[in-house]
Amino acid sequence: MKRLITALDTSDLRQAKAWAKALAPHVGALKLGLEFFLAHGRDGYAAMDGVPIFLDLKLHDIPNTVAGAVRSILPLQPAMLTVHASGGPDMVAAAKDAASRVPNPPLILAVTVLTSLNQAGLQAIGLKRSVEEQVTLLAEMAISRGADGLVCSPLEVPVLRKTLGRSVKLVVPGIRPPGADRGDQARTMTPWEAVQAGADWIVVGRPITASADPAAAASAIAMEIG
Ligand code: C5P
């Protein structure tokens, strides 16, 4: 699967369809998140047909509820599905167990620390560890309880590769091509740097979707990461 994933963060179905059509040749998957899915649900999802979907719903609830949510999503057959690692070990295990009951289950990816959070942001929610320590702790826990991979910032990719090895899938947002606007992302790298660091997939949203020519922007990033 190609390494570029584009985030279609919009509530405009026509816009999402146009992006999907233009970007499909350049991406390994399209990422649909809360903005799109809460606006258009299953019908909107179905309209994206033909491209693997990374369904980024960042589930975070008690284990029983998350397992039920995963079961509700399985008929859509996403390639990847996210849960928050901070939901805890039993929640991650419940998500994986629920997903494992179908052929070709989605990869269960655990979100460690949101790439919009920096050290001050962690402190504001009462976490005293460094970002890297917090990410590593959550990552080891989530993988030990069955997660197939992790969503992490590019800055943590080297330490996670070292700690967890090659088989863990690392999906990495917080990507900004040289000179691009960082927006609300705090921990960023360029596409090439992130892949060099060991990312399996990079997730790029606004640098592609907000550009005048999204297909050209995606193609340029795809070329850059080879
Ligand atoms: O537009 P931008 O490239 O910042 O989009 C990044 C995408 O990755 C967004 O859809 C965001 O929800 C998602 N994401 C993230 N940080 C995480 C997990 C997911 O930015 N830790």
Side-chain angles (χ1 to χ4, degrees):
M1 187 162 134
K2 289 180 187 146
R3 287 177 189 276
L4 175 61
I5 296 176
T6 302
L8 302 187
D9 289 325
T10 179
S11 56
D12 179 339
L13 182 57
R14 279 174 52 179
Q15 174 70 87
K17 280 188 192 172
W19 281 338
K21 195 166 168 226
L23 298 174
H26 308 291
V27 300
L30 294 170
K31 184 172 91 69
L32 299 178
L34 290 168
E35 183 176 356
F36 180 84
F37 199 72
L38 293 179
H40 301 293
R42 288 167 179 255
D43 291 345
Y45 184 105
M48 301 290 124
D49 84 298
V51 192
I53 297 294
F54 169 9
L55 193 52
D56 187 19
L57 299 184
K58 297 192 177 67
L59 302 174
H60 190 174
D61 210 313
I62 60 172
N64 185 58
T65 301
V66 166
V70 171
R71 281 194 296 274
S72 293
I73 288 163
L74 289 178
L76 299 177
Q77 299 186 301
M80 304 167 174
L81 177 66
T82 46
V83 301
H84 267 292
S86 55
D90 290 347
M91 194 210 78
V92 173
K96 175 65 180 179
D97 183 55
S100 303
R101 286 157 196 260
V102 293
N104 300 319
L107 293 178
I108 296 294
L109 303 175
V111 177
T112 54
V113 174
L114 292 172
T115 47
S116 54
L117 285 175
N118 58 15
Q119 200 61 51
L122 277 192
Q123 268 178 22
I125 55 169
L127 296 174
K128 302 215 163 49
R129 290 189 186 82
S130 70
V131 172
E132 188 173 297
E133 285 168 345
Q134 183 66 18
V135 168
T136 307
L137 178 130
L138 288 172
E140 287 181 321
M141 176 278 290
I143 296 300
S144 76
R145 296 307 299 270
D148 301 295
L150 301 161
V151 180
C152 63
S153 104
L155 304 192
E156 288 96 43
V157 169
V159 69
L160 293 179
R161 275 277 168 252
K162 205 165 134 207
T163 319
L164 297 165
R166 268 305 322 165
S167 62
V168 169
K169 301 294 180 202
L170 297 182
V171 180
V172 181
I175 303 294
R176 288 294 176 266
D181 184 1
R182 278 169 68 164
D184 54 357
Q185 294 288 9
R187 303 183 341 263
T188 66
M189 272 189 197
T190 68
W192 172 244
E193 286 168 345
V195 168
Q196 284 296 101
D200 291 292
W201 291 287
I202 59 168
V203 178
V204 186
R206 287 161 291 181
I208 291 173
T209 55
S211 92
D213 185 345
S219 165
I221 293 174
M223 298 258 285
E224 178 187 339
I225 61 178

